[in-house]
Amino acid sequence: MIKIRAEKAEDYTVIDEINSSAFKGESEGKLIRAIRESEWFVPELSLIAEWHEDVVGHILFSEVMIQTKNKQVPTLALAPMAVSPRHQKEGIGSLLVQQGLDKARQFGYEHVVVLGHPNFYPKFGFVSSVSKGIEPPFPVPEEVFMVLELKEGSLEGIRGKVAYPPSFSAVT
Ligand SMILES: CC(C)(COP(=O)(O)OP(=O)(O)OC[C@H]1O[C@@H](n2cnc3c(N)ncnc32)[C@H](O)[C@@H]1OP(=O)(O)O)[C@@H](O)C(=O)NCCC(=O)NCCS
């Protein structure tokens, strides 16, 4: 039985370990720490998956902006997400995404962007961001930068480019 809950301070080390083993590097752990210390952090949207009291997965949503011609529109970025290698392909990542999106919707967020696998995120409703008029923050293949409307039609009339805050420079 997998339980999804918000992270606590005592989870920080294991979250770091899961990210470094899943990504085989330290950049994502650095990114998480930088976001946690920033004004863009949303503590309720840093979620962990627990299995028999072991933390086996983590997902983070934090605030970023869409820069349009004349204003900044707040949105959420899903990044990063990791499941412990010995527990991958058991549905834990999907559960983290699904419950994270539900929680983001409850908090009133209207859309989410993600840079990730184009065969994983579309099953949650993500589509290529450019198809909705939203450009990625830097040049990437169109299909890997995606957006999801948590509220139908919420991106209508919004045209712009995503701007990541400085904390994202740990991985970009
Ligand atoms: C991506 C990740 C979080 C998915 O977690 P998970 O618990 O294995 O996911 P689920 O069991 O819910 O679903 C498995 C799906 O992951 C997708 N997936 C996992 N790794 C993938 C990869 N390297 N490339 C493409 N798709 C991948 C597949 O689409 C698979 O779907 P399927 O069941 O239709 O085959 C996990 O594999 C992971 O930590 N990978 C390493 C870190 C990473 O790449 N993070 C995501 C950055 S976008």
Short mmCIF file of all heavy atoms in Angstrom, two decimals, residues 23-57:
data_model
loop_
_atom_site.label_atom_id
_atom_site.label_comp_id
_atom_site.label_asym_id
_atom_site.label_seq_id
_atom_site.Cartn_x
_atom_site.Cartn_y
_atom_site.Cartn_z
N PHE A 23 18.54 9.49 -10.90
CA PHE A 23 19.11 10.30 -11.99
C PHE A 23 20.61 10.04 -12.19
O PHE A 23 21.20 10.59 -13.10
CB PHE A 23 18.90 11.79 -11.71
CG PHE A 23 17.49 12.28 -11.94
CD1 PHE A 23 16.62 12.46 -10.87
CD2 PHE A 23 17.03 12.54 -13.22
CE1 PHE A 23 15.32 12.92 -11.07
CE2 PHE A 23 15.74 13.00 -13.44
CZ PHE A 23 14.88 13.19 -12.36
N LYS A 24 21.20 9.24 -11.31
CA LYS A 24 22.64 8.95 -11.37
C LYS A 24 23.46 10.25 -11.40
O LYS A 24 24.33 10.45 -12.25
CB LYS A 24 22.98 8.06 -12.57
CG LYS A 24 22.26 6.73 -12.51
CD LYS A 24 22.65 5.83 -13.68
CE LYS A 24 22.01 4.47 -13.58
NZ LYS A 24 20.55 4.47 -13.62
N GLY A 25 23.14 11.16 -10.48
CA GLY A 25 23.87 12.43 -10.41
C GLY A 25 23.31 13.28 -9.30
O GLY A 25 22.31 12.92 -8.68
N GLU A 26 23.98 14.40 -9.09
CA GLU A 26 23.62 15.24 -7.94
C GLU A 26 22.76 16.46 -8.31
O GLU A 26 22.27 17.16 -7.43
CB GLU A 26 24.91 15.75 -7.25
CG GLU A 26 25.91 14.66 -6.88
CD GLU A 26 25.28 13.57 -6.01
OE1 GLU A 26 24.54 13.92 -5.07
OE2 GLU A 26 25.50 12.37 -6.29
N SER A 27 22.57 16.72 -9.61
CA SER A 27 21.93 17.98 -10.02
C SER A 27 20.51 18.13 -9.48
O SER A 27 20.12 19.21 -9.04
CB SER A 27 21.87 18.08 -11.54
OG SER A 27 23.13 17.96 -12.07
N GLU A 28 19.73 17.05 -9.51
CA GLU A 28 18.32 17.17 -9.11
C GLU A 28 18.21 17.42 -7.60
O GLU A 28 17.34 18.17 -7.17
CB GLU A 28 17.52 15.94 -9.55
CG GLU A 28 17.23 15.90 -11.04
CD GLU A 28 18.43 15.60 -11.91
OE1 GLU A 28 19.44 15.09 -11.38
OE2 GLU A 28 18.36 15.88 -13.12
N GLY A 29 19.08 16.78 -6.81
CA GLY A 29 19.09 17.05 -5.37
C GLY A 29 19.39 18.52 -5.11
O GLY A 29 18.77 19.17 -4.27
N LYS A 30 20.36 19.05 -5.87
CA LYS A 30 20.74 20.47 -5.74
C LYS A 30 19.55 21.35 -6.10
O LYS A 30 19.27 22.35 -5.44
CB LYS A 30 21.87 20.80 -6.73
CG LYS A 30 23.22 20.76 -6.10
CD LYS A 30 24.20 21.42 -7.07
CE LYS A 30 25.46 20.59 -7.17
NZ LYS A 30 26.26 20.86 -8.34
N LEU A 31 18.87 20.98 -7.18
CA LEU A 31 17.71 21.75 -7.62
C LEU A 31 16.64 21.78 -6.51
O LEU A 31 16.10 22.84 -6.19
CB LEU A 31 17.12 21.13 -8.90
CG LEU A 31 15.77 21.69 -9.36
CD1 LEU A 31 15.88 23.16 -9.74
CD2 LEU A 31 15.23 20.89 -10.55
N ILE A 32 16.37 20.62 -5.92
CA ILE A 32 15.35 20.56 -4.87
C ILE A 32 15.74 21.45 -3.69
O ILE A 32 14.92 22.22 -3.18
CB ILE A 32 15.14 19.09 -4.39
CG1 ILE A 32 14.53 18.27 -5.52
CG2 ILE A 32 14.24 19.03 -3.15
CD1 ILE A 32 14.58 16.76 -5.30
N ARG A 33 17.00 21.39 -3.29
CA ARG A 33 17.44 22.21 -2.15
C ARG A 33 17.33 23.70 -2.49
O ARG A 33 16.91 24.50 -1.66
CB ARG A 33 18.87 21.84 -1.74
CG ARG A 33 18.95 20.45 -1.08
CD ARG A 33 20.28 20.23 -0.39
NE ARG A 33 21.41 20.18 -1.31
CZ ARG A 33 21.77 19.11 -2.03
NH1 ARG A 33 21.10 17.99 -1.92
NH2 ARG A 33 22.81 19.16 -2.83
N ALA A 34 17.71 24.05 -3.72
CA ALA A 34 17.64 25.47 -4.11
C ALA A 34 16.18 25.94 -4.14
O ALA A 34 15.87 27.04 -3.68
CB ALA A 34 18.29 25.66 -5.48
N ILE A 35 15.29 25.11 -4.65
CA ILE A 35 13.87 25.52 -4.71
C ILE A 35 13.31 25.64 -3.29
O ILE A 35 12.59 26.59 -2.98
CB ILE A 35 13.04 24.53 -5.56
CG1 ILE A 35 13.46 24.63 -7.03
CG2 ILE A 35 11.53 24.83 -5.42
CD1 ILE A 35 12.81 23.61 -7.95
N ARG A 36 13.66 24.69 -2.42
CA ARG A 36 13.17 24.73 -1.02
C ARG A 36 13.51 26.04 -0.32
O ARG A 36 12.77 26.52 0.51
CB ARG A 36 13.83 23.60 -0.22
CG ARG A 36 12.88 22.49 0.11
CD ARG A 36 13.51 21.58 1.15
NE ARG A 36 13.17 20.21 0.83
CZ ARG A 36 14.05 19.27 0.55
NH1 ARG A 36 15.34 19.50 0.56
NH2 ARG A 36 13.61 18.06 0.26
N GLU A 37 14.67 26.58 -0.68
CA GLU A 37 15.11 27.82 -0.02
C GLU A 37 14.59 29.07 -0.73
O GLU A 37 14.89 30.18 -0.32
CB GLU A 37 16.63 27.85 0.03
CG GLU A 37 17.15 26.93 1.12
CD GLU A 37 18.62 26.60 0.95
OE1 GLU A 37 19.33 27.35 0.25
OE2 GLU A 37 19.03 25.58 1.52
N SER A 38 13.83 28.88 -1.80
CA SER A 38 13.41 30.04 -2.59
C SER A 38 11.97 30.42 -2.27
O SER A 38 11.22 29.67 -1.65
CB SER A 38 13.53 29.73 -4.09
OG SER A 38 12.45 28.90 -4.49
N GLU A 39 11.59 31.60 -2.76
CA GLU A 39 10.21 32.06 -2.55
C GLU A 39 9.22 31.29 -3.42
O GLU A 39 8.01 31.46 -3.30
CB GLU A 39 10.12 33.55 -2.85
CG GLU A 39 10.46 33.85 -4.30
CD GLU A 39 10.64 35.33 -4.58
OE1 GLU A 39 9.65 36.07 -4.50
OE2 GLU A 39 11.77 35.73 -4.90
N TRP A 40 9.73 30.47 -4.33
CA TRP A 40 8.86 29.76 -5.28
C TRP A 40 8.42 28.39 -4.76
O TRP A 40 7.66 27.69 -5.40
CB TRP A 40 9.59 29.59 -6.63
CG TRP A 40 10.25 30.85 -7.07
CD1 TRP A 40 11.58 31.15 -7.01
CD2 TRP A 40 9.60 32.03 -7.57
NE1 TRP A 40 11.81 32.41 -7.46
CE2 TRP A 40 10.61 32.98 -7.81
CE3 TRP A 40 8.28 32.36 -7.85
CZ2 TRP A 40 10.33 34.25 -8.31
CZ3 TRP A 40 8.00 33.62 -8.34
CH2 TRP A 40 9.03 34.54 -8.56
N PHE A 41 8.96 28.04 -3.60
CA PHE A 41 8.66 26.72 -3.02
C PHE A 41 7.23 26.68 -2.47
O PHE A 41 6.77 27.63 -1.83
CB PHE A 41 9.67 26.46 -1.89
CG PHE A 41 9.54 25.13 -1.22
CD1 PHE A 41 9.51 23.96 -1.97
CD2 PHE A 41 9.45 25.04 0.17
CE1 PHE A 41 9.42 22.72 -1.35
CE2 PHE A 41 9.36 23.80 0.80
CZ PHE A 41 9.33 22.64 0.04
N VAL A 42 6.55 25.57 -2.71
CA VAL A 42 5.20 25.36 -2.16
C VAL A 42 5.30 24.06 -1.33
O VAL A 42 5.24 22.96 -1.89
CB VAL A 42 4.15 25.19 -3.29
CG1 VAL A 42 2.74 25.11 -2.70
CG2 VAL A 42 4.25 26.29 -4.33
N PRO A 43 5.48 24.17 -0.01
CA PRO A 43 5.77 22.98 0.80
C PRO A 43 4.74 21.86 0.63
O PRO A 43 5.09 20.68 0.63
CB PRO A 43 5.76 23.49 2.25
CG PRO A 43 5.82 24.97 2.17
CD PRO A 43 5.41 25.40 0.80
N GLU A 44 3.49 22.23 0.46
CA GLU A 44 2.43 21.21 0.32
C GLU A 44 2.52 20.45 -1.00
O GLU A 44 1.85 19.44 -1.18
CB GLU A 44 1.04 21.87 0.39
CG GLU A 44 0.73 22.57 1.69
CD GLU A 44 1.27 24.01 1.77
OE1 GLU A 44 2.00 24.44 0.85
OE2 GLU A 44 0.97 24.68 2.78
N LEU A 45 3.35 20.96 -1.93
CA LEU A 45 3.46 20.30 -3.23
C LEU A 45 4.83 19.66 -3.43
O LEU A 45 5.27 19.42 -4.56
CB LEU A 45 3.15 21.30 -4.37
CG LEU A 45 1.69 21.80 -4.40
CD1 LEU A 45 1.49 22.79 -5.54
CD2 LEU A 45 0.70 20.64 -4.55
N SER A 46 5.51 19.39 -2.32
CA SER A 46 6.70 18.53 -2.36
C SER A 46 6.26 17.24 -1.69
O SER A 46 6.16 17.15 -0.47
CB SER A 46 7.86 19.19 -1.60
OG SER A 46 9.01 18.37 -1.71
N LEU A 47 5.95 16.25 -2.51
CA LEU A 47 5.27 15.05 -2.02
C LEU A 47 6.18 13.83 -2.06
O LEU A 47 6.99 13.69 -2.99
CB LEU A 47 4.03 14.77 -2.88
CG LEU A 47 2.99 15.89 -2.94
CD1 LEU A 47 1.91 15.55 -3.95
CD2 LEU A 47 2.37 16.11 -1.56
N ILE A 48 6.00 12.97 -1.09
CA ILE A 48 6.76 11.73 -1.12
C ILE A 48 5.79 10.53 -1.16
O ILE A 48 4.65 10.63 -0.73
CB ILE A 48 7.72 11.60 0.09
CG1 ILE A 48 6.96 11.68 1.41
CG2 ILE A 48 8.81 12.63 0.06
CD1 ILE A 48 7.02 10.42 2.15
N ALA A 49 6.31 9.44 -1.73
CA ALA A 49 5.55 8.18 -1.73
C ALA A 49 6.19 7.29 -0.67
O ALA A 49 7.42 7.11 -0.65
CB ALA A 49 5.64 7.52 -3.10
N GLU A 50 5.35 6.75 0.20
CA GLU A 50 5.84 5.92 1.30
C GLU A 50 5.31 4.51 1.12
O GLU A 50 4.13 4.31 0.82
CB GLU A 50 5.26 6.49 2.60
CG GLU A 50 6.22 6.56 3.73
CD GLU A 50 5.61 7.29 4.92
OE1 GLU A 50 4.36 7.37 5.02
OE2 GLU A 50 6.37 7.78 5.74
N TRP A 51 6.20 3.56 1.28
CA TRP A 51 5.82 2.14 1.16
C TRP A 51 6.34 1.44 2.40
O TRP A 51 7.55 1.41 2.62
CB TRP A 51 6.43 1.55 -0.11
CG TRP A 51 6.07 0.14 -0.40
CD1 TRP A 51 4.87 -0.32 -0.86
CD2 TRP A 51 6.92 -1.01 -0.28
NE1 TRP A 51 4.92 -1.67 -1.02
CE2 TRP A 51 6.16 -2.13 -0.68
CE3 TRP A 51 8.25 -1.19 0.12
CZ2 TRP A 51 6.68 -3.41 -0.68
CZ3 TRP A 51 8.76 -2.48 0.11
CH2 TRP A 51 7.99 -3.56 -0.29
N HIS A 52 5.45 0.93 3.21
CA HIS A 52 5.86 0.31 4.49
C HIS A 52 6.83 1.21 5.26
O HIS A 52 7.89 0.77 5.69
CB HIS A 52 6.52 -1.06 4.24
CG HIS A 52 5.58 -2.08 3.72
ND1 HIS A 52 4.55 -2.61 4.44
CD2 HIS A 52 5.51 -2.67 2.51
CE1 HIS A 52 3.88 -3.47 3.71
NE2 HIS A 52 4.43 -3.53 2.53
N GLU A 53 6.50 2.48 5.36
CA GLU A 53 7.29 3.48 6.09
C GLU A 53 8.63 3.81 5.45
O GLU A 53 9.43 4.56 6.01
CB GLU A 53 7.48 3.07 7.56
CG GLU A 53 6.11 2.90 8.22
CD GLU A 53 6.13 2.84 9.73
OE1 GLU A 53 7.22 2.86 10.32
OE2 GLU A 53 5.04 2.79 10.31
N ASP A 54 8.90 3.26 4.27
CA ASP A 54 10.11 3.65 3.52
C ASP A 54 9.71 4.69 2.48
O ASP A 54 8.70 4.50 1.79
CB ASP A 54 10.70 2.45 2.76
CG ASP A 54 11.51 1.57 3.66
OD1 ASP A 54 11.89 2.03 4.76
OD2 ASP A 54 11.76 0.42 3.26
N VAL A 55 10.53 5.73 2.35
CA VAL A 55 10.26 6.70 1.29
C VAL A 55 10.82 6.12 -0.01
O VAL A 55 12.00 5.77 -0.10
CB VAL A 55 10.92 8.06 1.61
CG1 VAL A 55 10.66 9.06 0.49
CG2 VAL A 55 10.37 8.61 2.94
N VAL A 56 9.96 5.97 -1.03
CA VAL A 56 10.40 5.32 -2.28
C VAL A 56 10.25 6.23 -3.50
O VAL A 56 10.64 5.84 -4.60
CB VAL A 56 9.64 3.98 -2.50
CG1 VAL A 56 10.02 2.96 -1.44
CG2 VAL A 56 8.13 4.18 -2.51
N GLY A 57 9.66 7.42 -3.31
CA GLY A 57 9.52 8.31 -4.46
C GLY A 57 9.27 9.73 -4.00
O GLY A 57 8.87 9.97 -2.86
#
